[in-house]
Amino acid sequence: MARISPATPQQWTPEMREFFDGFRTTVAADGQRAGKAGLNLVGTLARYPALAMPFLSFNAHLLSGTSLTDRQRELLVLRVASVRRSDYEWAQHVILAETAGMTKDEILRVADGPGASEWSSLERSLLSAVDELLADGMVSELTWSALAEEFNTEQLMDMVFTVGCYSMLAMALRSFDVNPEPELAPYLPAVR
């Protein structure tokens, strides 16, 4: 049972309903799918609209306004979800990773981290950056230099903020015990 029960859409404030409709439109306008589910997460956030709306506005940038490619973003988010053991976040972003063109093998390989030989040097650096940010709170000089050869300032900033946002969201999902909707079941990680 969730620690904070999600509000049903009928229980949302009119402002929250209007805001969420705009959020979905913004995310969908950039070719993204908001996921096959998500009402348990949004319903939980809807319990606190003053927090939910600014957070989702920031999150909309990371989903549809980022300077990263969809594939790069999903590599980062899936790695965060794997390291933080956030099954809900993992399932939601497997859907988005597939939409971004990632194969099932690539998605599963994210859990193995940057050591897999199949990653490109840029992808290996992105995965290393996630691990470093989550472990040390900063990207190492070696990883930063490798990324800075490929990325401009906006991409570097989007990378760090993507990892930070989704790490925070993973903590919230686990702490609030947000349960995956039935539609997410096929995308949940295998038994750890």
Side-chain angles (χ1 to χ4, degrees):
M1 169 142 319
R3 290 178 171 174
I4 299 173
S5 63
T8 65
Q10 296 78 16
Q11 295 172 314
W12 298 359
T13 65
E15 295 82 16
M16 186 67 195
R17 271 195 294 277
E18 181 180 342
F19 176 84
F20 186 64
D21 288 344
F23 172 80
R24 284 236 189 226
T25 301
T26 299
V27 172
D30 196 46
Q32 294 295 320
R33 294 187 316 183
K36 293 189 176 184
L39 284 181
N40 285 347
L41 168 58
V42 177
T44 301
L45 295 175
R47 295 282 184 196
Y48 192 1
L51 174 67
M53 292 186 281
F55 172 75
L56 289 171
S57 292
F58 174 56
N59 187 249
H61 166 77
L62 300 175
L63 287 170
S64 63
T66 184
S67 59
L68 301 172
T69 67
D70 292 348
R71 179 185 174 89
Q72 291 164 348
R73 181 197 62 236
E74 293 311 316
L75 278 170
L76 296 170
V77 176
L78 286 172
R79 185 64 185 157
V80 168
S82 177
V83 172
R84 290 290 188 233
R85 301 175 60 88
S86 178
D87 293 351
Y88 191 104
E89 188 170 78
W90 175 270
Q92 279 286 338
H93 285 272
V94 165
I95 295 167
L96 293 175
E98 288 176 350
T99 301
M102 289 181 67
T103 67
K104 290 194 184 306
D105 287 342
E106 289 172 324
I107 291 167
L108 292 174
R109 192 179 328 126
V110 169
D112 296 333
S117 62
E118 296 89 351
W119 297 122
S120 70
S121 60
L122 176 61
E123 291 170 338
R124 189 172 297 109
S125 294
L126 284 169
L127 294 169
S128 292
V130 173
D131 289 359
E132 293 164 3
L133 283 164
L134 296 180
D136 302 324
M138 70 174 288
V139 179
S140 72
E141 190 60 43
L142 180 66
T143 302
W144 186 269
S145 295
L147 289 166
E149 288 180 20
E150 303 278 338
F151 281 176
N152 63 31
T153 300
E154 290 177 351
Q155 290 169 305
L156 291 166
M157 292 177 75
D158 275 332
M159 174 199 61
V160 171
F161 278 101
T162 298
V163 173
C165 177
Y166 282 95
S167 177
M168 179 179 63
L169 184 57
M171 289 186 279
L173 286 162
R174 292 190 65 203
S175 294
F176 304 157
D177 199 17
V178 177
N179 296 306
E181 296 84 1
E183 298 86 358
L184 286 181
Y187 303 98
L188 291 169
V191 176
R192 296 182 194 271

